[in-house]
Amino acid sequence: MDRLSQSEDDEELPPRPMPLVPPLGFAMVVPGVYRSGHPLEINFPMLEKLKLRTIVSAFRYLADQEYAEENIQWCGRNNIRVFHQRIANVREPYLDNNPVAVTAALKVLLDKRNHPVLVHSNKGKHRVGVLVGCMRKLLQRWSLSAIHAEYGRFAGGKGEADLEFIELFDPGLVVEKEWAPAWVRV
């Protein structure tokens, strides 16, 4: 009998575990808040380990597009709430980020009952970068130079209009101390 062939007495090897594959651009922002690009089915096992309660989709959808059906089904099976915030991709100085959508997304992050939460856009760069930059500025009191540096690490140096939006954005958020995460500094 060939040494490489399995004999009848050999035990069958257990199946290999599925590899945990994070979504594109995945990172922890603060404890309980994560950022990434659009999650794909291959990312679901890894995301399940986070025990997410909420997903904020800062995605640029066309008027007739909705969240991907496989993601909706996966979120339903895992009891994850999804908040769609249609935040446009800003490439020109005369186009604005949507302050209403950014404010709504920040309110989700401000309530620890929503945590752990994943914030994602298509690639996890610009739209998530705006949201995280506004969070850093308004809720954590980061310096603008630190916000610019973090934005640049994920967005690759593009996004002057986004950085200007972050600098000028001040929606006057009300922080409910009872539900505010520990990382909020206001």
Side-chain angles (χ1 to χ4, degrees), residues 35-180:
R35 68 180 288 163
S36 76
H38 186 72
L40 302 173
E41 195 170 345
I42 193 169
N43 309 129
F44 293 166
M46 181 267 181
L47 293 174
E48 287 169 6
K49 299 286 187 190
L50 300 176
K51 300 192 184 320
L52 296 172
R53 287 188 189 161
T54 309
I55 290 179
V56 175
S57 173
F59 212 81
R60 185 179 146 236
Y61 292 97
L62 300 175
D64 61 344
Q65 288 181 314
E66 291 301 323
Y67 202 53
E69 185 60 34
E70 64 268 13
N71 290 48
I72 291 171
Q73 290 177 8
W74 177 76
C75 288
R77 286 191 307 272
N78 289 279
N79 297 314
I80 299 170
R81 291 180 308 254
V82 178
F83 293 90
H84 301 283
Q85 301 302 329
R86 296 174 191 262
I87 300 174
N89 191 10
V90 177
R91 290 201 173 106
E92 301 293 331
Y94 56 86
L95 295 175
D96 294 332
N97 278 288
N98 181 344
V100 174
V102 173
T103 301
L106 287 172
K107 286 179 180 178
V108 172
L109 298 181
L110 258 176
D111 189 337
K112 65 184 175 186
R113 294 172 293 184
N114 294 321
H115 295 191
V117 60
L118 173 68
V119 179
H120 81 82
S121 60
N122 189 31
K123 295 181 182 172
K125 294 180 179 183
H126 302 284
R127 290 175 294 280
V128 169
V130 166
L131 183 57
V132 170
C134 290
M135 182 194 97
R136 300 289 197 202
K137 175 187 163 203
L138 299 169
L139 304 177
Q140 294 187 288
R141 304 295 185 209
W142 276 30
S143 70
L144 289 175
S145 61
I147 293 167
H148 286 212
E150 180 181 48
Y151 181 95
R153 278 194 303 278
F154 286 92
K158 298 179 182 177
E160 292 81 17
D162 287 339
L163 293 172
E164 183 178 345
F165 177 84
I166 293 166
E167 288 179 29
L168 300 175
F169 183 68
D170 189 1
L173 287 171
V174 175
V175 177
E176 293 184 42
K177 296 203 184 284
E178 179 181 5
W179 304 116

Side-chain angles (χ1 to χ4, degrees), residues 6-12:
Q6 185 175 3
S7 72
E8 292 178 25
D9 296 332
D10 288 339
E11 289 185 34
E12 194 172 306

